[in-house]
Amino acid sequence: MKESVVNPRSPYLRLDGFSKDAWELDAESFAARYGSAFLLHYGSLGKDKEIEDVDLGDTLVREYTDEVVEPRTDPRTNFLVFPVRYKAKGRFDQAIWVGRGRQNDIIIPDASISTMHAFIRKNDAGNFHLQDMMSKNGSFVYDQRVPALGTGEPLPFGTGDRIRFGTVKLTFLGVAEFISLVNQLLDGG
């Protein structure tokens, strides 16, 4: 199986790394291999040099902006994919951890993301919920701020919803929608 990563230390995949399997596998087989949900980011993340220089104990505060980035034409390089799944099987806490630190299940290497920024839980009905971990730059479902742990209930979200951690904007997709997007953008491989 080909895995498409930006560099060997990269925590995300490129869209074209899923092309062959999205075309050949049914949704259940695809989910068994990659997970049942995905976060997609359009564009690049913080500069690698900037991230390498950041102390993992610190979080930079950045102002959020809706600045339009000049689009590139190749979807293989436009989208970064973060599978929403546990790194290790048999975890006891049933939370999918999101943050900049290497111990997280979803690692987003951007200076606006806290070391342990937030967590995602999937309930028995299959619905996803997001809870912030008192991060400096917050977590949002659309523009609604996600309550920090101990200050309110987690926010539910579903396929197609826009999620933001710090200044990083992502779109959440279930497996069927993700497969459809991959096939549509990459013409089935």
Side-chain angles (χ1 to χ4, degrees):
M1 174 182 77
K2 176 185 162 196
E3 189 171 288
S4 176
V5 292
V6 175
N7 66 53
R9 297 181 346 201
S10 180
Y12 50 83
L13 303 170
R14 297 285 186 186
L15 200 62
D16 62 348
F18 298 94
S19 180
K20 183 175 187 287
D21 287 340
W23 188 251
E24 294 175 356
L25 300 176
D26 62 25
E28 187 176 329
S29 300
F30 191 92
R33 182 170 288 174
Y34 297 108
S36 63
F38 302 85
L39 289 167
L40 276 74
H41 174 72
Y42 181 83
S44 61
L45 293 171
K47 295 177 184 169
D48 291 338
K49 176 84 172 116
E50 180 181 22
I51 298 304
E52 289 173 8
D53 291 341
V54 171
D55 177 356
L56 289 179
D58 296 335
T59 300
L60 299 180
V61 177
R62 292 187 177 169
E63 185 176 329
Y64 173 70
T65 177
D66 269 333
E67 175 183 322
V68 176
V69 178
E70 190 67 30
R72 290 176 260 161
T73 58
D74 186 358
R76 291 168 180 84
T77 57
N78 285 351
F79 290 100
L80 306 179
V81 180
F82 299 89
V84 178
R85 63 180 179 179
Y86 305 109
K87 267 204 281 193
K89 293 185 179 185
R91 294 257 311 265
F92 65 91
D93 62 6
Q94 299 302 307
I96 299 168
W97 293 92
V98 179
R100 194 177 67 233
R102 290 178 185 89
Q103 74 279 14
N104 292 291
D105 299 303
I106 300 171
I107 302 168
I108 304 175
D110 187 271
S112 71
I113 307 292
S114 295
T115 302
M116 289 186 80
H117 197 93
F119 63 87
I120 297 169
R121 283 210 168 109
K122 185 176 178 182
N123 66 19
D124 293 337
N127 300 315
F128 289 88
H129 293 82
L130 180 63
Q131 186 86 64
D132 191 77
M133 285 296 294
M134 299 183 198
S135 66
K136 287 185 182 177
N137 295 321
S139 301
F140 301 82
V141 175
Y142 285 98
D143 289 327
Q144 185 176 357
R145 190 175 189 103
V146 174
L149 185 64
T151 66
E153 293 298 313
L155 282 185
F157 63 95
T159 198
D161 285 349
R162 306 288 191 252
I163 296 176
R164 180 165 49 93
F165 299 108
T167 61
V168 178
K169 296 184 244 179
L170 302 125
T171 301
F172 178 80
L173 292 178
V175 68
E177 293 80 10
F178 180 71
I179 290 170
S180 177
L181 177 71
V182 171
N183 287 332
Q184 178 184 5
L185 291 178
L186 303 179
D187 291 327

